[in-house]
Each structure stands twice: as structure tokens, then as C-alpha cells.
């Protein structure tokens, strides 16, 4: 996820809020029908579905039938309990189908199997169906919100993280993100999400000969989900079980970064709903919230290793307000004592925030020796001649090669970290 620094915040910030439609009136102008009172408007993300590129990605990825099948299944649900089972089943199936496609077990369509975008757009097509669904039983706004939450969790792999029992197997947790900045280019893919699909449920062998199992999940690029605790809810029960974790996102052009410091500040860059937040990262127990957290990944070993064609850096830069000062300054070598965060090494967007939340959770759970932190991948670029979103194709050979190389290098980075 691109690094957004405090100095760039002269851009106008978009502060529109997601608005739910009013409940529809009954035909005689009386009270709303209880069956439709919870129906909500489509979101900014869902509205992008109607553009040509998302529809092509769904079709060529073989996921264009996902939402219609889901809608038919929903239509047959006769109770809230049956609706929830339907939502969870179809959400989990979408995640499994996306993982299977990425790992070559069930490849539909002619898009490269490593493509993460069919999952993203199919999920949005499903959430749009769920928002507009009018069941035969009463479903209020809170009930619909619960169903949407279950669909999100199941289709992101967040509630299907499972490790084998027994001794001798290392357990690794890796997270990725959805595509973002889609109003700039709706064709965008996120290599971190693609890597999560490629690595979920896979095995690697560490330098000492031990086997390690990788489990993954994908997170939305939405401030509100993070405010509501989606990171902590997913990771809280998992971190005590694992031997290594790494949050991963797309970062800078042409390089990997191991982000040394994470800051407790939201810089305001718009998310996938075109909403902005500029504030201290909201967490539980704010009185015990540090301004900075630190990686425990073996960054020296990772930087020194030959993991792939992109250079890997130990990034120690931050932006802070020094103690007793009022203006932010850039520091190349990390924060100074008692300073206030304005950007971690990974900026002040959701990539920095997931790193901050995950490492803060590590510390609050009393796991100071658990290796964990954030990896920024290179920006995934389209090939020369295919850079104009207005006229460009949804894929090209260089685009695929870049994504495959990034996936392979993340896997190698994790292998180095797991071997320490």
C-alpha cells in the first residue's frame, strides 16, 4: 500500500460519509415493510463494479457467475439462521475458489491464475446483492449488517485460519490487502492480496530442515473496518499460536522495504470508500497506546539474503513531532524519545496502521520475542504501452511477470524470516 507522508497532506481530503438509504415506505404511505426496512444503498466500492474493466476481470477470471448463484441461494433462505448459513457457505466458497485458482487447482477463465482481482470484484458483487436483498422474513439494519460482516470475514479467509496439530511444524501468518486507488485506475491489482492467495495453506522448508505452514487472510482498504477492530479480531487468537507473522502491502516503486517503525497516526489519504481520517489510530485502551511500535522481524538477515530481483531495504525513516515542538519533521533513523507520530516507515495509511495494530497486539499479548512486522512490496506496474487506464488492457505479460516475481520474493522473504 503506497506510503503516504504527512507532507503530502496538502491534497484536499474527501470527507463524505457513507449514507444509508431511508427505509422504503409501504404502498399506502404507512410504516416501512419489516422485510425491507434494513435494505441499504450500494457503496462507493460496489458502484465501481459497473465499469467495463471490473466486468471483464470477473468474466475472464471465471467469477462472473458467483454473485448470481449467491443471489439465488439467498432467495431460498427462509429464516435469519438459514440466511447466515448461506452467507458463510458462499463466502467461504469464494475464498476457497480464489485460493484454488491461484494455486492452480481450479483455474477458470483466461486471466493469469495469480490474479487477485476476481476475488475482490466478486466479493463486491456479492455484498451488493446482500444489501439489496428483500427476504420474506423481517431483517432489520443490524441483522443485515451482521450478514455483511460474516460474508466479509468468510470471503477474506479471516475465519478459516487453521494450523496442523503436533510439534515440529512452524506456523506462519501472513496478511494482504485489497486493490486500492481504484478511481485512479480501476484495473489495479494488489500484489499483497495476490501473495495471500498464492501462499494460503502452503508449506515451506526452513534452513534447518523444518516444515512451516503458511496461513493467510486479506483485509479491506477501509478506515472504518480498522476502527471497528477487524485486525485485532482476526489476529488476537492467532498470534499466541504462531512462530512468525508478517503484514504485507504494496509500497514503493522497484523495491521491498522491511518497515522498522510503525506510527500511531492516520494521515487522511482516502480509502476505497473515498473516506478520509486524520487522527490518532483509535484502539482499545487508548491510555496505553504508544506512539510507536517496532518490528521484530529479522530485518538484517532478510536484507542480506538473495530473495529475488527487487532490492530489499531496512527502512528506518519516520515523520514525527519532536517532544516540545509543534511541527512535523522527517527522521531518517527512527523516532526520538517522547515524540508524536505523524508517519511510520510505511507512511500513515492503512499499511502502516495494520503494522501498528498487529505489533501493538503482539506487545499487549505479552509476546515480545514473536517475530512480526510489516513488509512493503514494490508497486505492481503494467507493461510499457499499457499504462493509460482509459485505453489500457486489464492485463499484459509484463504485469503478470511483475506480480509473479513479487509473489515469489515475498515467499522467499518469509522463508528467510522463518529460518532465523
Amino acid at each position: 500500500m503506497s506510503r503516504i507522508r504527512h507532507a503530502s497532506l496538502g491534497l484536499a481530503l474527501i470527507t463524505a460519509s457513507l449514507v444509508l438509504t431511508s427505509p422504503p415506505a409501504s404502498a399506502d404511505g404507512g410504516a416501512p415493510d419489516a422485510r425491507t426496512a434494513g435494505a441499504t444503498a450500494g457503496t462507493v466500492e460496489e458502484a465501481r463494479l459497473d465499469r467495463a474493466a471490473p466486468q471483464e476481470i470477473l468474466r475472464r477470471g471465471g467469477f462472473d457467475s458467483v454473485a448470481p448463484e449467491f443471489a439465488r441461494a439467498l432467495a431460498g433462505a427462509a429464516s435469519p439462521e438459514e440466511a447466515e448459513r448461506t452467507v458463510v457457505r458462499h463466502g467461504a466458497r469464494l475464498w476457497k475458489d480464489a485460493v484454488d485458482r491461484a494455486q492452480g487447482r481450479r483455474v477458470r477463465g483466461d486471466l493469469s491464475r495469480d490474479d487477485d482481482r476476481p476475488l475482490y470484484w466478486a466479493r463486491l458483487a456479492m455484498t451488493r446483492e446482500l444489501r439489496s436483498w428483500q427476504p420474506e422474513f423481517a431483517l432489520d439494519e443490524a441483522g443485515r449488517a451482521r450478514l455483511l460482516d460474516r460474508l466479509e470475514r468468510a470471503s477474506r479467509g479471516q475465519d478459516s485460519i487453521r494450523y496442523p496439530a503436533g510439534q515440529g511444524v512452524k506456523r506462519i501468518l501472513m496478511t494482504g490487502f485489497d486493490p486500492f486507488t481504484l478511481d485512479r485506475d480501476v484495473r489495479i491489482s494488489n500484489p499483497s492480496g495476490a501473495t495471500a492467495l498464492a501462499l494460503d495453506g502452503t508449506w515451506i522448508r526452513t534452513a534447518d530442515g523444518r516444515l512451516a505452514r503458511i496461513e493467510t487472510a486479506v483485509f479491506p482498504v477501509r478506515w472504518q473496518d480498522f476502527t471497528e477492530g477487524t485486525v485485532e479480531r482476526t489476529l488476537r487468537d492467532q498470534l499466541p499460536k504462531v512462530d512468525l507473522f508478517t503484514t504485507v502491502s504494496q509500497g514503493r516503486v522497484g523495491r521491498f522495504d522491511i518497515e522498522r517503525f510503525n506510527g500511531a497516526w492516520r494521515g487522511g489519504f482516502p480509502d476505497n470508500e473515498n473516506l478520509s481520517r486524520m487522527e490518532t489510530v483509535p484502539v482499545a485502551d487508548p491510555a496505553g497506546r504508544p506512539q510507536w511500535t517496532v518490528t521484530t522481524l529479522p530485518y538484517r538477515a532478510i536484507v542480506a539474503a538473495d530473495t529475488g530481483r527487487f532490492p530489499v531495504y531496512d527502512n528506518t525513516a519516520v515523520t514525527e513531532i519532536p517532544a516540545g515542538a509543534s511541527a512535523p519533521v522527517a527522521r531518517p533513523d527512527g523516532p526520538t524519545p517522547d515524540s508524536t507520530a505523524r508517519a511510520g516507515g510505511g507512511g500513515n495509511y492503512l499499511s502502516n496502521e495494520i503494522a501498528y495494530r498487529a505489533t501493538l497486539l503482539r506487545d499487549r499479548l505479552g509476546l515480545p520475542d514473536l517475530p512480526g512486522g510489516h513488509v512493503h512490496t514494490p508497486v505492481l506496474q503494467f507493461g510499457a504501452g499499457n499504462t493509460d487506464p482509459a485505453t489500457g488492457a486489464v492485463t499484459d505479460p509484463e504485469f503478470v511477470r511483475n506480480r509473479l516475481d513479487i509473489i515469489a520474493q515475498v515467499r522467499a522473504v518469509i522463508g528467510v524470516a522463518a529460518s532465523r
Side-chain angles (χ1 to χ4, degrees), residues 6-50:
H6 183 74
S8 70
L9 296 179
L11 297 172
L13 299 179
I14 302 170
T15 57
S17 296
L18 175 61
V19 179
L20 303 181
T21 57
S22 299
S26 64
D28 61 1
D33 189 323
R35 293 173 299 174
T36 61
T40 62
T43 67
V44 170
E45 276 190 289
E46 291 164 359
R48 298 187 185 105
L49 271 165
D50 297 323

Side-chain angles (χ1 to χ4, degrees), residues 267-280:
F269 191 78
D271 65 8
N272 276 351
E273 290 291 332
N274 290 342
L275 301 179
S276 300
R277 295 288 185 270
M278 187 181 292
E279 60 189 356
T280 303

Side-chain angles (χ1 to χ4, degrees), residues 114 256 307-310 378 380 398-411:
D114 50 282
F256 274 81
T307 54
R309 71 177 172 100
F310 297 102
L380 178 57
E398 186 176 347
F399 179 69
V400 173
R401 181 176 72 89
N402 288 338
R403 187 167 52 211
L404 288 170
D405 286 352
I406 292 171
I407 291 170
Q409 195 159 351
V410 173
R411 185 178 187 275

